[in-house]
Amino acid sequence: MRNERVAISVEGLEKCFASPDGKTTTQVFGDLWFDVRQGEFICLIGHSGCGKTTLLNILAGLEAATSGTIIVEDREIDGPSLDRAVIFQGHALLPWLSALNNIEFAVRSRWPEKSRAALTEHCQRYIDLVHLSGSEQKKPAQLSGGMKQRVGIARALAIEPRILLMDEPFSALDALTRGSLQDELLSIISQTHQTSFMITHDIDEAILLADRIVLMTNGPQARVCEIVENTLPRDRHRGNMHKHPNYAPMRNHLLEFLVNRSRSFEAELADGAYDPKSPPQVRPVSEAEPQASYA
Ligand SMILES: Nc1ncnc2c1ncn2[C@@H]1O[C@H](COP(=O)(O)OP(=O)(O)OP(=O)(O)O)[C@@H](O)[C@H]1O
Ligand SMILES: [Mg+2]
């Protein structure tokens, strides 16, 4: 349930890294400006190395920006918060704890006063939500890749954060597992209305999940190229989205960006119309049937 209140405002963000000998610095990205509205699902697409994980780490408060700020719900962030949970690309579970204990560990830090019984009941709810009932006592080494990722998702959701930050959470999984986890995530978020920010390489994943898609150009000195509004109605799912007339224009626009424009963006910049504070907003639609619904 997206509304117009801004949940995250990224304002002039820049990150530089020093070279190993410390003599030079490289700007990974700079002059990033965009916002995420409350309850909105944003996907960020960009090529490897353009700074996506670095940006997500800064959003999570795990890393500092070189310049610029991030405002979350009217306050500048100055470190990690239990209101911003991260689902990492690797599952990042504690290997010596069972699935349930991994989740309990996180939940305990959020609500230290919870009784033992209430804690277990709370965590079991999230285990059930990601369909892991029966595997509570298994250690990460005894779980498949998809199951480990489910524990990571349950752990992030169980602390009931206002904002979910996800770094390619499904990229290491096979297509079938990825699809079912995408469906689960969609159904959970449609109930919780959490503000979500996800990095992905997968165009179809972005079209399925995102309300808007932020396109980041290649690094170094990456920029936000443009912000694409998803023109497929919200009731889309994996079985119907390719039937919508706007699907091909959406997909082609994103593909064209990844294949060509992410590299040639500097030429677009040269025409002078680009304003980093207000990157172009685009709405790819089918010219033939702009109002059509799913077939
Ligand atoms: N701690 C660091 N010190 C120096 N350079 C770094 C550090 N972390 C990242 N970089 C560099 O910053 C750039 C962006 O890295 P980042 O991991 O954010 O990319 P990414 O867009 O997430 O890539 P991928 O899609 O492959 O995950 C890379 O060139 C990387 O080498
Ligand atoms: Mg990355």
Side-chain angles (χ1 to χ4, degrees), residues 198-212:
M198 180 194 272
I199 293 169
T200 179
H201 274 115
D202 182 336
I203 287 177
D204 276 335
E205 181 165 88
I207 299 175
L208 176 66
L209 298 174
D211 295 310
R212 291 187 298 153

Side-chain angles (χ1 to χ4, degrees), residues 27-40:
Q27 187 200 59
V28 181
F29 54 72
D31 231 349
L32 298 190
W33 298 78
F34 63 90
D35 56 32
V36 185
R37 298 167 198 147
Q38 247 162 33
E40 189 176 33

Side-chain angles (χ1 to χ4, degrees), residues 236-247:
R236 60 189 174 268
H237 54 77
R238 271 182 307 132
N240 72 1
M241 71 175 190
H242 60 283
K243 296 180 186 164
H244 194 280
N246 288 347
Y247 172 74

